[in-house]
Amino acid sequence: MIASDILKKILLIFIYTIAFAFKQGILQTSPQIMKTLTITRPDDWHVHVRNSAILKTVLPHTARQFARAIIMPNLKPPVTTVDQALTYRDEILAAVPMGVDFTPLMTLYLTAATTEADIKKAAESEYIHAFKLYPAGATTHSDLGVADIVAAYPLFAAMEKHQIPLLIHGEVTDADCDIFDRERMFIDRYLTNIIKHFPDLRVVLEHVTTAEAVQFVESTSTNVAATITPQHLLYNRNALFVGGIRPHHYCLPVLKREQHRLALVKAATSGNPKFFLGTDSAPHLTNLKESSCGCAGCFSAPIALELYAEAFEAANALDKLEGFASFYGADFYRLPRNTDTITLEKTSWDVAASYGDNGISITPLKANETICWQVQ
Ligand code: NCD
Ligand code: ZN
């Protein structure tokens, strides 16, 4: 009896001592179990990796996260033939870090000089996955793009026949069209007709930025899909002018109003397979962005998946990230889904101020800012 009373007292003293130690901070609870998210390895269905020294700086970032990527052909000069694309593909493969598994999916730049024979040849190549239509003057290196879209109809017919997708930068270029209306106008003036004339043509409306584009894509057949960038999910146009002009938030199509951002978030997190990941990571040298006439394009490759995770988490839809990032694009391009996985960890870290060496400096999106997810 007496022995058990003594034992009880010892136990109480022990509990009080432990409680006191916690209160004083002498003892601490074990750190919270790390929140992680593992998904099938994603692909990037729209990326600019440039060439030469910039390619070597940026490509490893894309290859680290994504198994495959649709490589945009807007080099100077543009990639217009299968042979040029194969040379460019070799240059890209040479920039993949040792031990990293990455497959570039090549595209050709549509010009007034493209022929139906070029389209047949491209469709027959296992390395070419699409043609890219840049309306002439719409964006970076688009001066050789298509000036007369209706004149390109025979080429669209050939793509439809040979079953090769058409990727579209959907903005009109008329100088008198308000820059915030260019995408909506393109849909009304051109895209609606293209879809009507070529119902079996597979079309990706690239980097959609408006509620109208979302609504249009939703209302069309399964042959029409869209990519969505991280910046258009995270920012509205106010981000261009926070405390001064913000060149690293400038890309084309330009950021839009909050109502459009919300429509994009809803589309991306809806589980609708018509919407999939395309970063549009578009590196430019820092001095060419921070200039009196700064280039359009956000360099997001080093933190791309992290940014999508942030946007999906904010919408309470992390469970929808895998379909958007890793399944729907592959399905649309009729390629097998990846089988390996990637893990993201919920942890704060600071994005670098810039990337590159030997005279190359490229400022990423969110430079010097803290972000909350990290690819392991
Ligand atoms: C891209 C680029 O720099 O190549 N820029 C951009 O703002 N997105 C071109 C493009 O995709 O429009
Ligand atoms: Zn692009």
Side-chain angles (χ1 to χ4, degrees), residues 28-36 313 345-348 372:
Q28 285 175 357
T29 41
S30 63
Q32 246 194 332
I33 291 170
M34 189 65 79
K35 183 171 166 185
T36 63
E313 186 180 38
E345 216 171 78
K346 186 80 193 283
T347 177
S348 295
C372 60

Side-chain angles (χ1 to χ4, degrees), residues 14 91 111 182 253:
F14 178 73
E91 194 189 349
T111 74
R182 287 181 181 181

Side-chain angles (χ1 to χ4, degrees), residues 2 18 26 59 67 69 86 106 145 182 201 222 247 266 276 336 340:
I2 292 167
I18 297 281
I26 300 163
L59 197 269
L86 295 185
M106 309 310 292
R182 287 181 181 181
L201 177 64
T222 52
K266 198 162 165 221
F276 45 81
D340 49 344

Side-chain angles (χ1 to χ4, degrees), residues 199-330:
D200 294 327
L201 177 64
R202 276 182 298 144
V203 171
V204 183
L205 184 55
E206 297 293 339
H207 41 51
V208 286
T209 62
T210 56
E212 289 85 356
V214 166
Q215 203 274 325
F216 175 81
V217 171
E218 282 172 348
S219 69
T220 53
S221 83
T222 52
N223 283 330
V224 181
T227 51
I228 305 182
T229 77
Q231 64 266 27
H232 292 104
L233 291 175
L234 290 172
Y235 300 123
N236 64 35
R237 64 190 194 178
N238 287 345
L240 288 162
F241 307 107
V242 178
I245 195 152
R246 299 288 185 152
H248 299 292
H249 289 164
Y250 174 54
C251 67
L252 287 171
V254 74
L255 296 170
K256 305 293 194 299
R257 283 178 183 276
E258 179 65 2
Q259 74 200 64
H260 297 290
R261 187 189 73 83
L262 292 174
L264 298 171
V265 170
K266 198 162 165 221
T269 60
S270 66
N272 183 341
K274 283 170 155 278
F275 298 98
F276 45 81
L277 184 157
T279 62
D280 194 19
S281 178
H284 292 276
L285 295 177
T286 300
N287 66 306
L288 297 180
K289 290 225 26 112
E290 298 174 0
S291 127
S292 62
C293 184
C295 297
C298 300
F299 176 48
S300 62
I303 52 164
L305 201 54
E306 287 90 339
L307 296 183
Y308 283 110
E310 184 180 325
F312 275 63
E313 186 180 38
N316 236 322
L318 275 178
D319 60 320
K320 296 289 198 299
L321 182 62
E322 186 176 41
F324 175 83
S326 316
F327 296 159
Y328 308 147

